[in-house]
Amino acid sequence: LALTGCGGGSGSAPAELGSLIADLNQDTAWPSADAEAGVSLGDRYVFPAHRDDVGRELFVTDGNQDQTHLLKDLRAGSQSSWPEDLTVVGDRAYFTAANEHGMELWVTDGTPAGTHLAVDIAPGCADSDPGPLMAFGDRLLFAAENDTDGRQLWIVDGTGAAAPLTDFGSDAADPEPLGSLGAVAVFSALTATNGRELYVTDGTPAGTRLLVD
């Protein structure tokens, strides 16, 4: 992991620009940590990377070597939890990861204590396969599935509570958040009745409807 940027201002950077911040994976056979783009949460930067003893997990840095470390091992041991789709909502970031709960939605505030399962939509070890994730004001929209609801559009509100917004039944809706327009969000869904069409939602089931057929 390296820090890059432009100079020109007064003050000092946490580390020399262009220098290595931390050698996260020191395995001699395959030393690359494969660090990927992450998100900023206050003075912390959270990102996925690989280390041989923990697999692919979330790491965190404040730009200093001694403060660049594993955030939390979500899947104990060397197996990876494969965290992906980091999406900032307020002072937290939601992401997808897999462990004994299956592939589910997680949340972090950049601290180990604040990194935890957000909701177990498909109970047990089944996968709800959440995603894609989209910030909608202080809320999060995403598609997910379970045996009870099928694949629906879900919302996490500002309190962290999660609930399905749509009720397409067993119809293969495959909803996908696309963007927001002021107080409403736009998403597409595929149904046997209408095919793939555009829908809008204000974040409530009553305010979720077909835009135009």
Side-chain angles (χ1 to χ4, degrees):
L1 181 69
L3 181 70
T4 61
C6 299
S10 60
S12 60
E16 182 182 352
L17 294 179
S19 65
L20 179 69
I21 296 176
D23 188 1
L24 298 177
N25 189 34
Q26 300 182 20
D27 178 74
T28 55
W30 182 252
S32 174
D34 287 330
E36 293 184 346
V39 296
S40 296
L41 293 173
D43 60 355
R44 298 181 177 92
Y45 184 73
V46 178
F47 61 99
H50 173 86
R51 200 176 75 193
D52 279 2
D53 60 329
V54 296
R56 192 162 192 80
E57 299 288 350
L58 283 185
F59 287 74
V60 63
T61 184
D62 67 356
N64 290 290
Q65 184 173 9
D66 60 354
Q67 293 299 317
T68 302
H69 53 80
L70 176 70
L71 176 57
K72 195 167 187 175
D73 190 3
L74 302 182
R75 192 171 188 176
S78 60
Q79 288 187 308
S80 300
S81 70
W82 298 105
E84 293 182 345
D85 209 2
L86 282 155
T87 304
V88 175
V89 179
D91 59 358
R92 297 173 291 181
Y94 289 91
F95 62 98
T96 62
N99 63 4
E100 66 271 16
H101 296 285
M103 181 65 75
E104 295 290 351
L105 183 70
W106 290 71
V107 65
T108 183
D109 63 1
T111 69
T115 304
H116 56 83
L117 183 68
V119 57
D120 192 2
I121 292 172
C125 62
D127 299 329
S128 72
D129 288 327
L133 311 185
M134 188 187 85
F136 178 40
D138 63 351
R139 296 166 289 181
L140 179 81
L141 291 177
F142 62 99
E145 62 190 79
N146 59 28
D147 289 340
T148 302
D149 303 301
R151 191 160 186 85
Q152 306 292 343
L153 186 71
W154 284 68
I155 189 166
V156 175
D157 65 21
T159 70
L165 275 180
T166 56
D167 184 11
F168 291 107
S170 60
D171 207 353
D174 190 26
E176 180 179 352
L178 298 175
S180 59
L181 295 169
V184 299
V186 180
F187 68 97
S188 68
L190 174 66
T191 67
T193 303
N194 299 312
R196 182 166 289 281
E197 297 288 356
L198 284 180
Y199 292 74
V200 292
T201 181
D202 64 1
T204 67
T208 302
R209 59 180 174 81
L210 177 67
L211 179 60
V212 61
D213 188 357

PDB file of all heavy atoms in Angstrom, residues 116-132:
ATOM      1  N   HIS A 116     -19.387  -5.264  11.865  1.00  0.00           N
ATOM      2  CA  HIS A 116     -20.218  -6.409  12.238  1.00  0.00           C
ATOM      3  C   HIS A 116     -21.247  -6.709  11.152  1.00  0.00           C
ATOM      4  O   HIS A 116     -21.446  -5.911  10.221  1.00  0.00           O
ATOM      5  CB  HIS A 116     -20.923  -6.142  13.574  1.00  0.00           C
ATOM      6  CG  HIS A 116     -21.750  -4.885  13.574  1.00  0.00           C
ATOM      7  ND1 HIS A 116     -23.031  -4.823  13.075  1.00  0.00           N
ATOM      8  CD2 HIS A 116     -21.451  -3.622  13.989  1.00  0.00           C
ATOM      9  CE1 HIS A 116     -23.500  -3.605  13.198  1.00  0.00           C
ATOM     10  NE2 HIS A 116     -22.565  -2.844  13.745  1.00  0.00           N
ATOM     11  N   LEU A 117     -21.902  -7.844  11.269  1.00  0.00           N
ATOM     12  CA  LEU A 117     -22.974  -8.223  10.356  1.00  0.00           C
ATOM     13  C   LEU A 117     -24.107  -7.217  10.496  1.00  0.00           C
ATOM     14  O   LEU A 117     -24.571  -6.940  11.598  1.00  0.00           O
ATOM     15  CB  LEU A 117     -23.464  -9.634  10.705  1.00  0.00           C
ATOM     16  CG  LEU A 117     -24.535 -10.262   9.821  1.00  0.00           C
ATOM     17  CD1 LEU A 117     -23.981 -10.560   8.436  1.00  0.00           C
ATOM     18  CD2 LEU A 117     -25.069 -11.540  10.466  1.00  0.00           C
ATOM     19  N   ALA A 118     -24.550  -6.647   9.372  1.00  0.00           N
ATOM     20  CA  ALA A 118     -25.645  -5.673   9.417  1.00  0.00           C
ATOM     21  C   ALA A 118     -26.989  -6.373   9.515  1.00  0.00           C
ATOM     22  O   ALA A 118     -27.852  -5.986  10.312  1.00  0.00           O
ATOM     23  CB  ALA A 118     -25.604  -4.774   8.185  1.00  0.00           C
ATOM     24  N   VAL A 119     -27.180  -7.408   8.710  1.00  0.00           N
ATOM     25  CA  VAL A 119     -28.433  -8.164   8.733  1.00  0.00           C
ATOM     26  C   VAL A 119     -28.190  -9.517   8.073  1.00  0.00           C
ATOM     27  O   VAL A 119     -27.471  -9.609   7.085  1.00  0.00           O
ATOM     28  CB  VAL A 119     -29.560  -7.382   8.011  1.00  0.00           C
ATOM     29  CG1 VAL A 119     -29.172  -7.057   6.570  1.00  0.00           C
ATOM     30  CG2 VAL A 119     -30.876  -8.143   8.045  1.00  0.00           C
ATOM     31  N   ASP A 120     -28.776 -10.567   8.639  1.00  0.00           N
ATOM     32  CA  ASP A 120     -28.665 -11.913   8.076  1.00  0.00           C
ATOM     33  C   ASP A 120     -29.971 -12.202   7.340  1.00  0.00           C
ATOM     34  O   ASP A 120     -30.913 -12.755   7.908  1.00  0.00           O
ATOM     35  CB  ASP A 120     -28.418 -12.937   9.199  1.00  0.00           C
ATOM     36  CG  ASP A 120     -28.006 -14.297   8.661  1.00  0.00           C
ATOM     37  OD1 ASP A 120     -27.880 -14.428   7.431  1.00  0.00           O
ATOM     38  OD2 ASP A 120     -27.803 -15.221   9.473  1.00  0.00           O
ATOM     39  N   ILE A 121     -30.031 -11.814   6.073  1.00  0.00           N
ATOM     40  CA  ILE A 121     -31.272 -11.893   5.303  1.00  0.00           C
ATOM     41  C   ILE A 121     -31.648 -13.335   4.979  1.00  0.00           C
ATOM     42  O   ILE A 121     -32.818 -13.707   5.029  1.00  0.00           O
ATOM     43  CB  ILE A 121     -31.148 -11.055   4.026  1.00  0.00           C
ATOM     44  CG1 ILE A 121     -31.078  -9.565   4.405  1.00  0.00           C
ATOM     45  CG2 ILE A 121     -32.306 -11.314   3.066  1.00  0.00           C
ATOM     46  CD1 ILE A 121     -30.771  -8.648   3.261  1.00  0.00           C
ATOM     47  N   ALA A 122     -30.653 -14.161   4.657  1.00  0.00           N
ATOM     48  CA  ALA A 122     -30.877 -15.589   4.430  1.00  0.00           C
ATOM     49  C   ALA A 122     -30.306 -16.324   5.651  1.00  0.00           C
ATOM     50  O   ALA A 122     -29.088 -16.507   5.735  1.00  0.00           O
ATOM     51  CB  ALA A 122     -30.209 -16.055   3.148  1.00  0.00           C
ATOM     52  N   PRO A 123     -31.138 -16.700   6.610  1.00  0.00           N
ATOM     53  CA  PRO A 123     -30.642 -17.242   7.887  1.00  0.00           C
ATOM     54  C   PRO A 123     -29.752 -18.463   7.712  1.00  0.00           C
ATOM     55  O   PRO A 123     -29.838 -19.191   6.721  1.00  0.00           O
ATOM     56  CB  PRO A 123     -31.935 -17.598   8.628  1.00  0.00           C
ATOM     57  CG  PRO A 123     -32.988 -16.741   8.015  1.00  0.00           C
ATOM     58  CD  PRO A 123     -32.597 -16.619   6.572  1.00  0.00           C
ATOM     59  N   GLY A 124     -28.898 -18.668   8.704  1.00  0.00           N
ATOM     60  CA  GLY A 124     -27.976 -19.795   8.673  1.00  0.00           C
ATOM     61  C   GLY A 124     -26.811 -19.508   7.747  1.00  0.00           C
ATOM     62  O   GLY A 124     -26.348 -18.385   7.639  1.00  0.00           O
ATOM     63  N   CYS A 125     -26.361 -20.552   7.055  1.00  0.00           N
ATOM     64  CA  CYS A 125     -25.194 -20.391   6.180  1.00  0.00           C
ATOM     65  C   CYS A 125     -25.576 -20.095   4.736  1.00  0.00           C
ATOM     66  O   CYS A 125     -24.716 -20.036   3.862  1.00  0.00           O
ATOM     67  CB  CYS A 125     -24.321 -21.640   6.242  1.00  0.00           C
ATOM     68  SG  CYS A 125     -25.150 -23.146   5.680  1.00  0.00           S
ATOM     69  N   ALA A 126     -26.872 -19.891   4.460  1.00  0.00           N
ATOM     70  CA  ALA A 126     -27.309 -19.590   3.093  1.00  0.00           C
ATOM     71  C   ALA A 126     -26.855 -18.188   2.688  1.00  0.00           C
ATOM     72  O   ALA A 126     -26.659 -17.313   3.530  1.00  0.00           O
ATOM     73  CB  ALA A 126     -28.830 -19.707   2.987  1.00  0.00           C
ATOM     74  N   ASP A 127     -26.696 -17.979   1.375  1.00  0.00           N
ATOM     75  CA  ASP A 127     -26.293 -16.678   0.842  1.00  0.00           C
ATOM     76  C   ASP A 127     -27.517 -15.853   0.468  1.00  0.00           C
ATOM     77  O   ASP A 127     -28.414 -16.346  -0.217  1.00  0.00           O
ATOM     78  CB  ASP A 127     -25.444 -16.855  -0.425  1.00  0.00           C
ATOM     79  CG  ASP A 127     -24.160 -17.624  -0.186  1.00  0.00           C
ATOM     80  OD1 ASP A 127     -23.626 -17.525   0.933  1.00  0.00           O
ATOM     81  OD2 ASP A 127     -23.699 -18.306  -1.118  1.00  0.00           O
ATOM     82  N   SER A 128     -27.534 -14.580   0.884  1.00  0.00           N
ATOM     83  CA  SER A 128     -28.566 -13.671   0.373  1.00  0.00           C
ATOM     84  C   SER A 128     -28.060 -12.905  -0.840  1.00  0.00           C
ATOM     85  O   SER A 128     -28.828 -12.244  -1.522  1.00  0.00           O
ATOM     86  CB  SER A 128     -29.015 -12.683   1.453  1.00  0.00           C
ATOM     87  OG  SER A 128     -28.013 -11.719   1.711  1.00  0.00           O
ATOM     88  N   ASP A 129     -26.730 -12.988  -1.103  1.00  0.00           N
ATOM     89  CA  ASP A 129     -26.111 -12.332  -2.264  1.00  0.00           C
ATOM     90  C   ASP A 129     -26.556 -10.875  -2.400  1.00  0.00           C
ATOM     91  O   ASP A 129     -27.109 -10.473  -3.437  1.00  0.00           O
ATOM     92  CB  ASP A 129     -26.437 -13.100  -3.551  1.00  0.00           C
ATOM     93  CG  ASP A 129     -25.692 -14.412  -3.636  1.00  0.00           C
ATOM     94  OD1 ASP A 129     -24.562 -14.485  -3.133  1.00  0.00           O
ATOM     95  OD2 ASP A 129     -26.257 -15.377  -4.200  1.00  0.00           O
ATOM     96  N   PRO A 130     -26.318 -10.049  -1.394  1.00  0.00           N
ATOM     97  CA  PRO A 130     -26.743  -8.650  -1.493  1.00  0.00           C
ATOM     98  C   PRO A 130     -25.944  -7.873  -2.525  1.00  0.00           C
ATOM     99  O   PRO A 130     -24.757  -8.113  -2.719  1.00  0.00           O
ATOM    100  CB  PRO A 130     -26.478  -8.106  -0.081  1.00  0.00           C
ATOM    101  CG  PRO A 130     -25.399  -8.984   0.461  1.00  0.00           C
ATOM    102  CD  PRO A 130     -25.608 -10.332  -0.144  1.00  0.00           C
ATOM    103  N   GLY A 131     -26.624  -6.953  -3.208  1.00  0.00           N
ATOM    104  CA  GLY A 131     -25.937  -6.098  -4.163  1.00  0.00           C
ATOM    105  C   GLY A 131     -26.694  -5.975  -5.471  1.00  0.00           C
ATOM    106  O   GLY A 131     -27.570  -6.794  -5.760  1.00  0.00           O
ATOM    107  N   PRO A 132     -26.367  -4.948  -6.259  1.00  0.00           N
ATOM    108  CA  PRO A 132     -25.405  -3.902  -5.910  1.00  0.00           C
ATOM    109  C   PRO A 132     -25.930  -2.998  -4.793  1.00  0.00           C
ATOM    110  O   PRO A 132     -27.137  -2.875  -4.607  1.00  0.00           O
ATOM    111  CB  PRO A 132     -25.243  -3.129  -7.224  1.00  0.00           C
ATOM    112  CG  PRO A 132     -26.527  -3.370  -7.955  1.00  0.00           C
ATOM    113  CD  PRO A 132     -26.967  -4.742  -7.595  1.00  0.00           C
TER     114      PRO A 132
END
